[in-house]
Amino acid sequence: DTAVSQTPKYLVTQMGNDKSIKCEQNLGHDTMYWYKQDSKKFLKIMFSYNNKELIINETVPNRFSPKSPDKAHLNLHINSLELGDSAVYFCASSHLGSYTFGSGTRLTVV
Amino acid sequence: DAKTTQPPSMDCAEGRAANLPCNHSTISGNEYVYWYRQIHSQGPQYIIHGLKNNETNEMASLIITEDRKSSTLILPHATLRDTAVYYCIVRVADSSASKIIFGSGTRLSIRP
């Protein structure tokens, strides 16, 4: 009964490939997010969706495209992967300011 | 969202209280103080939040000064499992457009 689940947990891929990370929450929250944590351990917000609508879009290359088929899911598709995309990506959902994070997807681009 | 300032690292002996300070001198009247922690390689975990009054739950206590410009997170009896990076964040609670901005946090090490 995981609250926020991400798949896959680990992803190793070559430069130039296209990959997706999936996120699902069973908390009934209206808002979902993607965060990126780089090798220096800074957690930075990338996107936020509220009821399937994009409401926050930080300065992220347009190779990154979030998709929310319904309010329980927020997937992240990344085109033409680059070495600098290697990081841990966290999905989160929130209700009234309280966030629940997934366990992260460690993406390694080689 | 207002900015917060935390010491980069602290340590505490196991079984003692860990007191983690946070300065948020530019906090607005409608912004809450939130604390999260990130244990190595895991997603950040919500600990506690408050607006003006002190708060306590099963994990920790939050003491907010009367002028709301600083706060302290207290872990009453620290264990080795409390070793983590602790983030103090201020934000408007009920706005879906208000995002959590993580600073660099305080790396808390618990000594056996």
Side-chain angles (χ1 to χ4, degrees):
Chain A
D1 56 347
T2 306
V4 179
S5 59
Q6 299 177 224
T7 53
K9 192 169 173 63
Y10 299 96
L11 183 54
V12 180
T13 188
Q14 290 188 323
M15 280 174 56
N17 284 350
D18 303 338
K19 289 293 177 188
S20 292
I21 307 171
K22 295 187 175 181
C23 179
E24 176 181 4
Q25 54 98 0
N26 62 5
L27 298 165
H29 290 171
D30 289 335
T31 310
M32 296 184 71
Y33 310 80
W34 278 108
Y35 278 80
K36 178 182 179 181
Q37 188 167 39
D38 58 25
S39 56
K40 294 183 180 173
K41 303 297 184 184
F42 287 112
L43 266 163
K44 293 181 184 172
I45 189 166
M46 301 173 70
F47 301 103
S48 169
Y49 269 72
N50 182 260
N51 273 320
K52 303 194 300 173
E53 259 190 69
L54 180 66
I55 53 169
I56 293 174
N57 184 352
E58 294 294 299
T59 309
V60 175
N62 52 18
R63 297 182 294 104
F64 290 78
S65 53
K67 286 190 172 48
S68 182
D70 55 62
K71 74 173 196 177
H73 295 84
L74 180 62
N75 303 323
L76 183 64
H77 188 75
I78 315 169
N79 288 328
S80 304
L81 278 154
E82 300 177 357
L83 293 176
D85 298 332
S86 295
V88 182
Y89 292 83
F90 288 100
C91 177
S93 69
S94 74
H95 177 67
L96 295 179
S98 181
Y99 280 51
T100 303
F101 283 81
S103 55
T105 295
R106 182 174 293 277
L107 171 66
T108 304
V109 183
V110 297
Chain B
D1 289 342
K3 204 172 163 183
T4 62
T5 307
Q6 299 176 251
S9 64
M10 293 181 64
D11 66 68
C12 176
E14 192 177 16
R16 304 297 293 266
N19 297 285
L20 291 90
C22 179
N23 287 323
H24 31 79
S25 57
T26 59
I27 192 169
S28 301
N30 63 346
E31 287 181 318
Y32 286 68
V33 179
Y34 284 80
W35 282 84
Y36 284 78
R37 72 180 182 185
Q38 187 175 24
I39 296 170
H40 179 62
S41 298
Q42 297 179 22
Q45 176 191 23
Y46 166 81
I47 301 173
I48 199 167
H49 75 282
L51 182 64
K52 285 191 248 192
N53 299 322
N54 299 336
E55 302 288 343
T56 295
N57 63 20
E58 65 278 3
M59 287 181 72
S61 294
L62 174 60
I63 309 297
I64 303 174
T65 57
E66 197 167 333
D67 65 7
R68 304 213 318 127
K69 292 186 177 182
S70 65
S71 60
T72 302
L73 178 76
I74 302 172
L75 307 178
H77 305 288
T79 71
L80 297 178
R81 285 176 296 183
D82 292 321
T83 294
V85 178
Y86 287 77
Y87 296 99
C88 168
I89 294 151
V90 293
R91 67 186 294 273
V92 175
D94 59 355
S95 166
S96 59
S98 178
K99 58 203 176 195
I100 281 187
I101 298 176
F102 288 89
S104 48
T106 295
R107 183 171 297 277
L108 176 67
S109 300
I110 306 299
R111 305 188 305 268

